[in-house]
Amino acid sequence: MTSLLNEIPRESLQNLLSSIRVHTPPSGHHISAEGYAPAPLLSSISRGDVIEIQGPASSGKTHLLYHFVLLCIAPSRQMSIDFGGNGMAAVVYDTDASFDVARLHQLLLIRLSLVLPHNMEMARRLAEESLQRLHVFRPTSLLQLATSLLHLPLYHKFSIPEHEIGLLAVDSVSAFYWTDRFIAEQMRNKPHIAQKQPNPSSVNPLQHVLMALGRLRLSHAPFIILTNWGLNLASRSSGPVTFYKQHLHSFPVYSENYDASAPPSSMTDDLPPTPMPLPLTHHITLSPVSIPPFAPEISLHDAVQQEVEYRRSIVQKGEVTGLVRTTGSQEITRLTLCITPENVHIRHL
């Protein structure tokens, strides 16, 4: 009898719920105002996906994050009006201290007012209700970040049980790169520590963050966004968008051969005692439109003319080019992120 029971496939309730979350798409993808819907290339994003947004400083990484946060926390449908959001909770770890809630509120209110042009009072009320689904934490180290991620299920259970966590973002995973690299090198240089822990990842706090994110992906299946600095140019970089090498040790690497449609292995068995790796499903490389420097021999008058006629218009356009690579596919898709004082939207090229 025991042998017969052992042959029956088993699945824990937690794994079953995780599988349902991952294979069930969010309730909405689009903001219904004309011209402000996300590009078709991003319509394939689903629960449990992991996106890395990489680019140099001021390349629009945080503004692209605003776009995704708005799609998450905006209402889905009220009074037979489709607002195109998901009405879900978004959790943002603002390690760079660059996530501006006031800016997000401005963008959200403008988007809602486009759907409700004659009812600004309702638009303001919906904006306030949507912001209540946003939860921002500001850890000051990777260990604080890892600890907060490990305790996020408890925070969800007791503080926001009425909402599912639809989006989890870390902006940016590189914020503590230099300090943690210094600490790791110091620890490796001590013989008694290096002998006990020869693997560099064992002394890297980022490993704890990735493990916590991997476990959250399996248990809650949020849409995970990780912004990352672009520090070192890749050797194959060419054209208007530059690719960057991965400077974070043990960080998940984009792969063309990984099968993103396959469920995590823990969904076919009980959750393991140690978290599974965190696979990337999409990688977005952003690069602002480059403005050539003034020629050394240019006069002051000509420089002013160029500033008025050409350079200023490029800056005011607020366009950022980007390449989207999807794990398991060799296809690279181009997009343009348009950032204006009134809105952030994506144009598919």
Side-chain angles (χ1 to χ4, degrees), residues 5-269:
L5 291 176
N6 289 335
E7 293 178 2
I8 300 176
R10 295 179 302 164
E11 183 176 31
S12 67
L13 177 60
Q14 186 175 18
N15 293 334
L16 176 61
L17 292 176
S18 298
S19 179
I20 292 173
R21 290 192 186 103
V22 167
H23 294 289
T24 302
S27 58
H29 284 291
H30 305 283
I31 296 294
S32 57
E34 184 179 356
Y36 294 92
L41 63 94
L42 298 174
S43 62
S44 61
I45 291 173
S46 59
R47 301 291 301 277
D49 281 0
V50 182
I51 289 186
E52 178 188 8
I53 303 175
Q54 190 174 28
S58 302
S59 59
K61 298 186 293 295
T62 300
H63 269 84
L64 181 55
L65 176 58
Y66 291 155
H67 177 79
F68 288 120
V69 170
L70 291 176
L71 292 177
C72 178
I73 66 175
S76 55
R77 191 176 186 88
Q78 288 194 19
M79 300 173 57
S80 70
I81 301 176
D82 184 10
F83 294 97
N86 292 308
M88 305 175 75
V91 178
V92 177
Y93 289 92
D94 180 22
T95 59
D96 265 343
S98 60
F99 192 89
D100 189 348
V101 178
R103 170 65 170 158
L104 183 74
H105 178 257
Q106 177 194 28
L107 295 172
L108 176 60
L109 185 59
I110 292 175
R111 288 195 179 192
L112 292 175
S113 65
L114 291 172
V115 185
L116 300 166
H118 305 296
N119 194 343
M120 283 303 299
E121 183 178 351
M122 183 179 179
R124 293 189 185 94
R125 179 178 60 81
L126 291 177
E128 294 296 330
E129 292 177 358
S130 299
L131 286 179
Q132 292 178 9
R133 293 188 284 270
L134 173 66
H135 303 264
V136 181
F137 300 92
R138 292 187 169 91
T140 58
S141 69
L142 277 181
L143 288 179
Q144 278 192 13
L145 174 59
T147 303
S148 179
L149 288 169
L150 288 172
H151 287 83
L152 184 59
L154 288 177
Y155 178 82
H156 179 219
K157 179 179 179 180
F158 293 106
S159 299
I160 48 174
E162 68 278 9
H163 297 297
E164 269 195 273
I165 299 177
L167 181 144
L168 173 60
V170 179
D171 184 29
S172 140
V173 291
S174 295
F176 312 110
Y177 169 67
W178 296 111
T179 54
D180 288 319
R181 178 177 173 179
F182 174 77
I183 294 173
E185 289 177 354
Q186 292 296 309
M187 294 179 69
R188 283 197 296 268
N189 290 334
K190 295 181 180 180
H192 62 284
I193 296 180
Q195 191 174 17
K196 294 180 181 178
Q197 298 177 330
N199 185 1
S201 64
S202 62
V203 296
N204 186 355
L206 179 61
Q207 184 70 16
H208 302 295
V209 173
L210 298 177
M211 291 169 63
L213 286 170
R215 190 165 282 278
L216 282 167
R217 176 177 178 264
L218 298 181
S219 62
H220 290 70
F223 171 38
I224 299 176
I225 299 179
L226 307 172
T227 67
N228 195 2
W229 297 346
L231 295 181
N232 305 311
L233 297 178
S235 57
R236 65 169 181 162
S237 295
S238 62
V241 178
T242 303
F243 289 113
Y244 298 90
K245 296 179 182 178
Q246 183 54 257
H247 58 278
L248 297 176
H249 183 77
S250 74
F251 194 83
V253 179
Y254 158 81
S255 172
E256 296 176 351
N257 300 319
Y258 176 76
D259 184 5
S261 62
S265 58
S266 66
M267 290 183 181
T268 60
D269 200 351

Side-chain angles (χ1 to χ4, degrees), residues 308-323:
V308 173
E309 297 175 1
Y310 172 67
R311 299 167 65 89
R312 186 181 300 174
S313 62
I314 293 180
V315 174
Q316 289 176 345
K317 271 186 177 180
E319 291 186 351
V320 176
T321 57
L323 297 180

